[in-house]
Amino acid sequence: MSSRERGIAALLGNGSLLVCLDDRGGLVHACWPHVDRCRHLLELRLGLELDGNVRWLDSDDVVGEQAYLPDTSILRTALHGGDVEAELVDLVCAEAPVLVRHVTSPARDTRLVVRCRPALGGSELGHGSYVDPDTGAIVFYRGGTAVALGLGAEAEARTGRIGCQSGSVAHGRVEGELSIELDGGALLVCALGASPSDALARLRPPLEQGFEQLTEGRRRHDLGRLATTEGGDELVRRSLLVFDLVCDRATGGVIAAPEVDPQMEVSGGYGFVWARDLAYVVLALLAAGRRDLAAGALRWLPTAQAPEGLWLQRHDTAGRLGASWGLHQLDETGAVLFAYESAWRSLHDRALDRELWPSARRAALLLADILDERGLPPETVDLWEEREGSHAYTAAATFGGLRAAAAISKRHEPELADVFAAAAERVRAGIEECFWSDEHERYFRTIPAGEAASGLPYPSAGRPAVEPDDVVDVSLLGLAWPFGAVDPAGERMRLTVAAVERELLQPDGGVLRYAGDTYAGGNRWVLAALWLGLWRRQIRDEQGLAAAVDYAASVSTPLGLLPEQVTAAGDPAWVLPLTWSHAMLVLAARPELELVRAFAGTSSSVRV
């Protein structure tokens, strides 16, 4: 089984270079210069040559035990199996796109062998490669990307076309191999750049500095990042380090997850920025005091906003629209507005607030204009991206967004504040009138759309709802947390949550998304359990909140990563890590945001 087939177990990176490794330290992929695209290396295998035979460290019969060095993104992997015993320590330099791999083994008379196949720019074709006579490194180059791999000038190196004899220069579909005597330890440096000279310039300093200096530099960097947040247990600190890795340094965009399905065989791909996920990540960054990442993400949002004011389904980190199976998902736009106002209340950054106002104005005017005759958002795709119709969660996010826009307006264009507040009140009234079921004694998740035309320049994504959908869905919690569209402690919300607990809460504390869910196994979702805990905090049930946080901790991986889903046996399933899961954990572990408290306290009416 290859590293790609095993899936992601660990992340390394610096906001520009993102490296994903499997549970044996095998390379899954490496993205640069942005964290969401261009997986440049198809293979980067390490092996030990013993008695003329190479034993690859990522082989199926080798077992890996992994741990991050405390409070760092430095990974240690102990490997053993058969006649292999070795240790890898991996890190990415904090300020340069350089992967450093330190390899040690107690075996005597052993050579380290490194084999690499590039796919620069995502293609295996059209590469050039050569052995640099000064450093002994192998250099691969294609277009505007180059990779230099070195073990030091004393290493043996060769490169060639795949299936052909190796030498010092090659072109086409190429590969390369490095080897060196493993006398106590060896340092492999993999540097990326825009040209061979650029990559080689980044390769030389780490080779000269040595492993201990590189490790100390990365350790100081990570500890400095964590010092910006007071308190927090190990899982919170790991979540903050994850944010540093999946947030694109150049643009501020934060990907939903490192790509786990690059061929999009099971899903539409995860290595994109969803405005929905990003809104929750911004809230988590604000809760944790990560001002720099929060501001960067907030400034990214207007770059991805469509002309009419919406945020469409997903984008790359440069703000370019990604392929979609449901272009407009109106909850995303409401959530962004909510994040804008939350940023003001947390940061009080007047310059940032002024920058965001034109974006907020455009979005809020559109949301207010497209409400149907009931006061609800028009037909759209739900937050799980599966159903068309009028959705309770979408209505709650729209309410929260319009109410936030009313508050923002008072600082910039006061005459719009009443307009947005009145629109928010229409949504709140529509929720109570249309989504509540006396028969079921709870809110519905989806009802048929109203008759008013949406006025949106996008087609419907599929078959719309033709009757109320009475399936219990954890997203109904969004009516209360974070948007405060209904009173969290009111009878209607308590009855709705009772239904969620009755049908979705599992004996181990896990929570399903909704009854009958089948996506990727229909397992428990970490963010669903935390969402329930966040509602419990709203009703002052601190024990219930703690139980949700404890559940998340119990299903985190040994490296402290939170998956999208968890099996009944407690094993991670499908995506790992999911940024939204980490965001919800931070939100549950940190004090409640001021905006969430304010909206929950006045949900019975809209005041500006």
Side-chain angles (χ1 to χ4, degrees):
M1 182 182 295
S2 70
S3 296
R4 293 174 187 271
E5 292 171 323
R6 291 194 191 101
I8 296 169
L11 304 184
L12 307 172
N14 60 12
S16 175
L17 172 60
L18 176 64
V19 175
C20 299
L21 303 175
D22 70 10
D23 60 2
R24 294 165 175 80
L27 180 76
V28 178
H29 59 70
C31 298
W32 178 83
H34 299 282
V35 298
D36 60 332
R37 54 191 182 274
C38 292
R39 292 168 288 279
H40 297 298
L41 298 175
L42 281 178
E43 182 179 73
L44 183 61
R45 301 192 76 187
L46 308 180
L48 300 181
E49 185 177 330
L50 305 168
D51 299 324
N53 296 314
V54 177
R55 296 282 284 112
W56 297 107
L57 301 185
D58 60 355
S59 298
D60 288 341
D61 60 347
V62 174
V63 176
E65 298 176 2
Q66 292 181 313
Y68 283 115
L69 273 60
D71 289 343
T72 75
S73 292
I74 303 170
L75 180 70
R76 174 185 176 274
T77 305
L79 299 161
H80 56 87
D83 54 354
V84 169
E85 187 174 353
E87 180 180 277
L88 307 179
V89 179
D90 293 308
L91 62 91
V92 167
C93 295
E95 300 301 332
V98 178
L99 169 65
V100 175
R101 315 201 72 182
H102 189 248
V103 186
T104 58
S105 174
R108 303 175 66 85
D109 300 322
T110 302
R111 291 184 69 81
L112 172 66
V113 178
V114 180
R115 183 172 294 169
C116 181
R117 279 199 301 139
L120 304 182
S123 173
E124 295 183 65
L125 306 177
H127 288 81
S129 63
Y130 66 92
V131 177
D132 177 56
D134 180 34
T135 62
I138 297 175
V139 180
F140 300 108
Y141 60 96
R142 178 180 181 273
T145 305
V147 175
L149 296 103
L151 288 168
E154 65 274 20
E156 294 183 6
R158 58 181 183 270
T159 185
R161 298 180 68 177
I162 292 176
C164 299
Q165 185 175 1
S166 296
S168 297
V169 181
H171 70 281
R173 294 180 67 242
V174 299
E175 61 185 352
E177 186 172 290
L178 293 159
S179 66
I180 195 170
E181 290 292 333
L182 191 63
D183 183 14
L187 186 68
L188 171 67
V189 178
C190 175
L192 293 95
S195 65
S197 59
D198 190 21
L200 286 167
R202 289 170 171 160
L203 177 90
R204 293 185 182 97
L207 286 174
E208 295 169 357
Q209 291 173 32
F211 176 65
E212 290 186 4
Q213 186 174 343
L214 292 166
T215 301
E216 179 58 22
R218 181 71 208 211
R219 188 187 71 84
R220 287 198 305 269
H221 171 83
D222 290 339
L223 291 176
R225 297 292 293 159
L226 292 175
T228 62
T229 302
E230 297 181 2
D233 63 13
E234 184 176 355
L235 190 54
V236 171
R237 297 195 301 275
R238 179 56 54 194
S239 297
L240 298 180
L241 292 174
V242 167
F243 294 154
D244 278 345
L245 304 184
V246 298
C247 177
D248 194 84
R249 176 187 293 175
T251 69
V254 184
I255 55 175
E259 189 55 74
V260 298
D261 190 18
Q263 303 306 314
M264 299 185 186
E265 297 172 342
V266 180
S267 70
Y270 276 74
F272 292 85
V273 186
W274 271 260
R276 174 188 305 111
D277 299 47
L278 185 55
Y280 283 97
V281 172
V282 166
L283 296 181
L285 293 170
L286 295 171
R290 279 293 179 86
R291 186 186 189 100
D292 59 338
L293 294 185
L298 288 160
R299 288 189 168 100
W300 178 91
L301 283 160
T303 71
Q305 190 174 19
E308 75 286 335
L310 294 184
W311 279 271
L312 301 179
Q313 184 194 20
R314 62 180 188 164
H315 299 76
D316 68 15
T317 55
R320 298 174 298 204
L321 186 63
S324 174
W325 49 98
L327 275 166
H328 65 84
Q329 302 170 14
L330 298 177
D331 67 277
E332 295 195 282
T333 299
V336 169
L337 290 170
F338 189 87
Y340 281 179
E341 175 61 12
S342 189
W344 166 254
R345 300 196 185 200
S346 296
L347 304 177
H348 295 285
D349 185 329
R350 293 185 181 278
L352 176 62
D353 196 52
R354 284 194 301 270
E355 285 182 55
L356 298 178
W357 167 239
S359 169
R361 184 184 191 277
R362 190 161 65 251
L365 284 172
L366 180 75
L367 289 183
D369 184 58
I370 62 175
L371 299 178
D372 66 20
E373 73 281 1
R374 305 165 302 178
L376 296 176
E379 181 178 287
T380 190
V381 180
D382 74 329
L383 82 162
W384 307 129
E385 304 180 330
E386 296 174 340
R387 281 168 292 280
E388 285 267 339
S390 183
H391 314 290
Y393 176 82
T394 301
T398 301
F399 168 87
L402 285 168
R403 194 172 176 194
I408 300 170
S409 299
K410 293 183 70 176
R411 299 190 295 274
H412 302 281
E413 201 168 334
E415 59 271 24
L416 286 177
D418 288 339
V419 174
F420 296 147
E425 178 60 28
R426 289 182 62 205
V427 179
R428 188 198 63 76
I431 289 172
E432 297 297 350
E433 176 68 24
C434 301
F435 284 99
W436 176 257
S437 169
D438 285 329
E439 177 185 354
H440 293 77
E441 293 189 316
R442 59 177 172 81
Y443 293 102
F444 281 148
R445 69 171 177 177
T446 298
I447 59 176
E451 296 180 0
S454 71
L456 297 177
Y458 307 105
S460 172
R463 182 177 299 174
V466 295
E467 58 185 25
D469 184 341
D470 64 358
V471 172
V472 176
D473 194 306
V474 74
S475 68
L476 290 166
L477 297 172
L479 290 165
W481 193 95
F483 303 117
V486 306
D487 180 1
E491 181 182 12
R492 286 188 171 188
M493 195 62 209
R494 287 181 179 273
L495 288 170
T496 300
V497 176
V500 168
E501 293 177 329
R502 186 168 57 250
E503 297 198 27
L504 305 181
L505 179 61
Q506 305 300 296
D508 61 357
V511 178
L512 305 175
R513 280 196 306 176
Y514 56 84
D517 185 11
T518 60
Y519 175 65
N523 300 291
R524 298 146 171 81
W525 282 54
V526 175
L527 69 87
L530 291 165
W531 207 339
L532 182 57
L534 286 160
W535 173 80
R536 285 170 169 159
R537 178 164 66 187
Q538 285 186 306
I539 63 166
R540 305 184 187 282
D541 178 5
E542 295 297 329
Q543 186 175 356
L545 172 66
V549 173
D550 288 346
Y551 171 78
S554 73
V555 297
S556 65
T557 71
L559 294 179
L561 302 182
L562 292 174
E564 177 188 79
Q565 301 183 41
V566 179
T567 68
D571 298 321
W574 193 215
V575 177
L576 179 79
L578 184 71
T579 310
W580 192 359
S581 295
H582 282 280
M584 296 293 264
L585 181 280
V586 171
L587 285 162
R590 299 290 298 170
E592 187 74 278
L593 290 166
E594 192 275 333
L595 183 63
V596 177
R597 293 198 308 269
F599 278 20
T602 56
S603 57
S604 60
S605 63
V606 179
R607 296 197 293 268
V608 297

